[in-house]
Structures are given as structure tokens and as C-alpha cells.
Amino acid sequence: MIDSRGQVSLEYLLIFVVSLILLIAFTLPLAELTIGNTLDVSDTLNVKSDLSKVSQAIEEVYGQGQGSKHTIDIVASNDLKVNVASDYISCNIKLKDGKNKAEKIYFRSTLEKSSIYLKKGENSITVEWPENSENMQIYVK
């Protein structure tokens, strides 16, 4: 009798390797897509949180009136261009799939339309309403 156990083991090993390759071929792209979506959500929430901090500082200065000043520190994960208007603050976020998402937060103020640029890392933003001035000011130190 010829011993065929070696051949059976080789066939099982070959079937296992092919199954593993197929599993990886279908699972890896799905995992990459899921990770990209998760990172997009995380980045969007971080930007929205930063915009909320700026909005709260603007509302605080507006509530205190002329002569008030408030400085906040923000750690940005990416370079951002923040658009400032008299009643809202907004920022466009580039997602992993190439699309853009706009985040906007509303408030009351006397700010003029402008833009501030936040660099990756630590940023110090000052919101002030100088005495004897009709308009508030916002700038990055």
C-alpha cells in the first residue's frame, strides 16, 4: 500500500492558503474603507470642537461688551482656513475620499467678514472688542 497521508496534508494546506488569500483579498479593502471613514468622523468632530471653542470665545467677548478680550489655545491636527462672518464661523474639511465637508457654527457678534489660518499644532486665537470701536477683532498670535 502506498501512504497518501502526505498528499492529503498537502491538499489541506493548499486549500487553507487559497482560502486565506481570498479572505485577505476581500477583507483588506473593506477594512481600509472603514478606517478611512472613522478617521473622517474623528477629524470632523475635532474641527467642530475647535470651531465651538472659538465661537464660545466670540460670544463671551460680545456679551461682555467693548474693552473685553479673550484668548484661547487650540491644537489643530491639520492646517485649516477658518472663515469668519458676523453671525457664523465655518471651515471646509477635506475627507479621505476627496470630498469636502463644511462645518458651520452660528453666534452673535460685531465681527467683520475675514479669515484666520490655523497651522498644524498649537495656535493661540485672540478675540477682542477694543474700546470706542464698533467692530470686534479676531486674530491668531
Side-chain angles (χ1 to χ4, degrees):
M1 284 200 122
I2 300 176
D3 191 13
S4 63
R5 289 185 198 162
Q7 182 180 353
V8 172
S9 296
L10 182 63
E11 289 172 354
Y12 281 132
L13 187 60
L14 192 61
I15 290 171
F16 177 73
V17 168
V18 169
S19 300
L20 191 60
I21 289 172
L22 288 174
L23 181 66
I24 289 172
F26 289 112
T27 305
L28 203 55
L30 292 175
E32 182 181 353
L33 179 66
T34 304
I35 289 171
N37 290 340
T38 303
L39 291 175
D40 284 343
V41 169
S42 175
D43 291 344
T44 302
L45 288 174
N46 287 339
V47 169
K48 193 166 188 170
S49 173
D50 293 343
L51 290 179
S52 179
K53 288 178 188 176
V54 174
S55 171
Q56 288 173 355
I58 291 169
E59 286 186 346
E60 184 176 315
V61 170
Y62 181 75
Q64 292 175 354
Q66 291 181 350
S68 61
K69 181 178 182 179
H70 189 77
T71 301
I72 56 171
D73 294 319
I74 291 179
V75 179
S77 57
N78 294 317
D79 292 345
L80 298 172
K81 177 185 175 188
V82 179
N83 300 311
V84 181
S86 63
D87 61 344
Y88 69 88
I89 189 169
S90 66
C91 182
N92 286 327
I93 305 159
K94 183 148 184 133
L95 303 176
K96 304 288 185 237
D97 61 359
K99 296 179 184 175
N100 287 328
K101 179 173 180 163
E103 285 296 326
K104 189 182 279 190
I105 297 180
Y106 290 91
F107 52 79
R108 293 185 57 184
S109 75
T110 61
L111 285 169
E112 293 181 340
K113 189 173 184 175
S114 65
S115 296
I116 57 174
Y117 298 92
L118 303 179
K119 295 181 181 177
K120 183 176 182 178
E122 293 184 22
N123 296 279
S124 183
I125 299 173
T126 301
V127 180
E128 70 176 319
W129 193 348
E131 288 192 36
N132 302 323
S133 175
E134 291 183 17
N135 293 327
M136 296 168 54
Q137 299 174 353
I138 185 168
Y139 52 90
V140 179
K141 284 187 176 180

